[in-house]
Amino acid sequence: MKPQYRLITCDLDETLLNTEKKVPAANVEAIAAARKEGVKFVCTTGRGFPSIQGTLQEIGTVDQPEEYTISFNGGVITENRDNRILHMEPMDFDLAKEIFRRGIAYDVCAHVYTPDTVWVYHINPGEIGFLQGRMEFREFTDTSLDFLEGQTIIKVLFENTDYSYLKSMEDMFHDIRNLVDISYSSNRYLEFNKKGVNKGAALLRLAELLEIPQSETMAIGDNFNDLSMIRTAGLGVGVANTHPDMNELCDVILSRTNDEGAVAEAIERFVLHS
């Protein structure tokens, strides 16, 4: 009998990865067992695909044909073999430029994502520590994105560890809400993608490509940039450390945290049991 859920999209930070930014052994074993049953396990992250190759190595899907990654909050879908881009949704340059201009008026660190580079403005020691082991980046000091004109920009985000402060920034973007998808992640990031670009839309696109019904998809996450895929999937799963305001929006809240192998719990309960 085939598993009930044949496509799993799974967030990385605070979901698949533990505090040490590694995949717990229980998760590695469960993912391998699910893959043996024909299940596609798809790392689904706000980060860019170049930055997660170590994680793909840990779970055994790095550079593999017919294995996939969703990155940039759904802005890019790749096949892992040669990181072949199957679909990409860039932002309009003028829109990215305007978002950046407005955002840096606040006390934030800013990230600007191109397909192969994370450009970081006004970085702080705490952010340096958070990014270490997660991604490489290039600092810049320009107060305009003119230096990136002509390049592909997929995402812009702002960082501050005061979540209420980030929430207060949303009002500054009320007049362009029809042009952007706004989400939050890691309790420190306010993120902007092109309108309609999110993890849920990417899940549907990949499921269609793989000819897997929406009802046979499962999404696992912990924060608001995961909410679109959690609500879109046939089964939306939150780990035990999911943001409390999301709990009632998930179909299931697991008993384990990301440090305790929550993804293994989800796979054991909802995939391997069948």
Side-chain angles (χ1 to χ4, degrees):
M1 177 182 290
K2 70 179 182 180
Q4 179 180 359
Y5 300 106
R6 296 192 291 131
L7 172 62
I8 302 172
T9 57
C10 183
D11 175 56
L12 298 191
D13 297 314
E14 293 85 48
T15 300
L16 177 66
L17 304 181
N18 60 22
T19 305
E20 286 70 43
K21 307 163 192 173
K22 299 294 184 182
V23 183
N27 290 350
V28 173
E29 293 170 8
I31 291 166
R35 291 179 62 216
K36 284 182 180 178
E37 297 297 320
V39 175
K40 296 297 184 186
F41 185 89
V42 178
C43 290
T44 305
T45 179
R47 292 193 263 149
F49 61 86
S51 73
I52 70 163
Q53 300 304 300
T55 297
L56 299 181
Q57 181 76 48
E58 287 186 78
I59 67 172
T61 65
V62 70
D63 201 32
Q64 293 298 304
E66 299 183 6
E67 298 289 351
Y68 305 91
T69 293
I70 293 170
S71 55
F72 300 98
N73 275 346
V76 176
I77 301 173
T78 46
E79 182 181 18
N80 293 354
R81 170 61 61 87
D82 297 325
N83 290 320
R84 183 168 69 95
I85 294 177
L86 304 178
H87 185 76
M88 182 163 61
E89 292 273 7
M91 299 182 74
D92 176 80
F93 175 75
D94 288 336
L95 177 60
K97 181 178 174 180
E98 179 62 15
I99 291 169
F100 177 78
R101 185 191 70 80
R102 297 186 190 189
I104 63 171
Y106 286 80
D107 179 21
V108 293
C109 166
H111 297 196
V112 181
Y113 289 72
T114 66
D116 57 6
T117 305
V118 182
W119 296 91
V120 177
Y121 172 87
H122 196 224
I123 197 161
N124 56 73
E127 182 67 352
I128 291 173
F130 187 81
L131 295 181
Q132 187 174 14
R134 285 187 167 91
M135 68 177 75
E136 296 182 354
F137 59 89
R138 292 182 64 179
E139 291 186 63
F140 72 100
T141 58
D142 302 47
T143 56
S144 168
L145 295 187
D146 284 340
F147 75 102
L148 291 176
E149 188 165 9
Q151 295 194 41
T152 299
I153 296 176
I154 304 172
K155 188 178 79 166
V156 177
L157 67 75
F158 303 107
E159 179 269 343
N160 189 297
T161 54
D162 184 340
Y163 186 73
S164 61
Y165 186 82
L166 287 179
K167 290 288 288 185
S168 74
M169 292 176 61
E170 265 203 61
D171 287 344
M172 178 171 277
F173 302 98
H174 72 277
D175 59 319
I176 57 171
R177 281 303 301 260
N178 64 321
L179 301 177
V180 292
D181 259 45
I182 298 177
S183 60
Y184 293 85
S185 68
S186 298
N187 298 321
R188 67 191 297 129
Y189 294 131
L190 169 60
E191 309 201 16
F192 295 80
N193 285 83
K194 174 183 174 181
K195 187 68 175 180
V197 175
N198 53 64
K199 292 181 177 183
L203 181 157
L204 288 179
R205 185 177 292 274
L206 182 57
E208 182 178 6
L209 176 69
L210 300 178
E211 299 182 342
I212 295 175
Q214 182 177 357
S215 61
E216 296 180 16
T217 65
M218 178 168 72
I220 312 172
D222 76 288
N223 218 306
F224 285 97
N225 68 329
D226 305 319
L227 185 57
S228 61
M229 69 175 182
I230 284 172
R231 299 184 78 171
T232 297
L235 182 69
V237 179
V239 296
N241 52 287
T242 292
H243 193 288
D245 292 346
M246 278 180 50
N247 284 358
E248 64 182 21
L249 303 174
C250 299
D251 297 317
V252 175
I253 295 294
L254 301 170
S255 64
R256 300 185 204 170
T257 68
N258 63 307
D259 281 322
E260 298 165 335
V263 171
E265 178 187 346
I267 292 173
E268 290 159 4
R269 285 177 59 181
F270 302 113
V271 177
L272 299 180
H273 81 287
S274 57

